[in-house]
Amino acid sequence: MLQILGKDMQKNLETKKEIRSRILKLRRAQSQEAILAASTAITEKLWALPAYKSAKNIYAYMDFSGEVKTQMIIEDALKTGKNVWLPRVHGDTMDFFLAEQEEDLQTGAFGILEPQGATMAGVEEMKDGFMVMPGVAFDADRNRAGFGGGYYDKYLEAYPELYTAAVAFEFQIVESVPSEETDIRPNVVITEERIYE
């Protein structure tokens, strides 16, 4: 029985791998103009969410390699007096640290800018926290395929009270993303065309 389960899980992982490969190829093919236009439309939808408006703590990511751009979200959050928390990866774990200005960022794991400050988000900050999540692919049921490291799943398992809004381009929405028990679905997925909830 265990062996059969193992094979099924392997099949799911391979399927996710195929989805990742196809979507990343599509993402690399997008022009900077198209990425910026779609990112702007996504950002405007995100700003309109009541959960974003009321949140005091915004957990964002630094966009990388053709992801939905997050600079406008980060700048708006800082301008409106919200705290901005950005991820820092250490080994197989990820934590969020306070980012007060661009100068606080340095290239870290995977070549992505990371905050260098010492103030780490804790349980207090989760109560009115809003997380902007990346992902490689999603389906209409909000199942998510990341890069395979499980960083967000592990973090959200520890802090389930965070409201999560994944941002993606419409071409990143696929028919079905295989899901496993440890996968955590975002509350909403926002694309330039619609909001999946």
Side-chain angles (χ1 to χ4, degrees):
M1 180 65 177
L2 282 174
Q3 200 167 357
I4 294 167
L5 271 176
K7 279 183 182 171
D8 282 350
M9 278 181 71
Q10 187 61 37
K11 199 167 84 175
N12 277 352
L13 289 172
E14 284 166 4
T15 309
K16 269 191 179 178
K17 197 174 171 183
E18 288 162 10
I19 290 169
R20 273 188 205 106
S21 174
R22 181 167 60 85
I23 297 300
L24 288 172
K25 192 175 173 184
L26 273 173
R27 207 168 74 183
R28 284 191 295 271
Q30 304 305 306
S31 70
Q32 282 306 305
E33 293 78 16
I35 288 171
L36 183 58
S39 295
T40 302
I42 290 163
T43 298
E44 286 169 357
K45 284 184 174 64
L46 182 138
W47 283 340
L49 292 176
Y52 175 81
K53 289 178 182 176
S54 66
K56 180 73 182 136
N57 294 285
I58 303 300
Y59 296 73
Y61 67 91
M62 294 301 295
D63 58 88
F64 179 76
S65 189
E67 290 177 315
V68 172
K69 293 189 171 297
T70 55
Q71 190 175 348
M72 289 179 287
I73 298 166
I74 293 167
E75 285 174 359
D76 176 76
L78 289 170
K79 192 175 73 188
T80 54
K82 298 176 188 292
N83 298 315
V84 173
W85 306 86
L86 296 173
R88 195 156 81 207
V89 170
H90 181 74
D92 64 349
T93 62
M94 173 181 75
D95 282 298
F96 282 76
F97 291 81
L98 191 62
E100 296 177 274
Q101 52 191 7
E102 213 170 309
E103 291 72 36
D104 296 340
L105 305 173
Q106 285 180 21
T107 303
F110 312 110
I112 300 169
L113 288 173
E114 294 183 339
Q116 298 308 301
T119 308
M120 189 171 85
V123 177
E124 256 331 284
E125 288 76 27
M126 306 296 159
K127 290 174 187 168
D128 56 0
F130 179 102
M131 178 181 277
V132 183
M133 278 176 84
V136 176
F138 300 88
D139 63 23
D141 292 324
R142 296 173 284 115
N143 291 307
R144 172 182 176 271
F147 276 98
Y151 293 106
Y152 279 87
D153 290 323
K154 281 182 261 188
Y155 193 81
L156 291 169
E157 188 179 5
Y159 300 108
E161 58 273 37
L162 272 172
Y163 184 93
T164 49
V167 290
F169 303 116
E170 188 63 32
F171 67 78
Q172 291 177 260
I173 306 297
V174 299
E175 191 178 333
S176 177
V177 172
S179 61
E180 290 131 38
E181 257 183 65
T182 52
D183 292 343
I184 293 175
R185 296 186 305 163
N187 293 97
V188 294
V189 178
I190 307 170
T191 75
E192 69 275 23
E193 291 182 16
R194 58 175 290 193
I195 296 177
Y196 298 84
E197 45 192 337

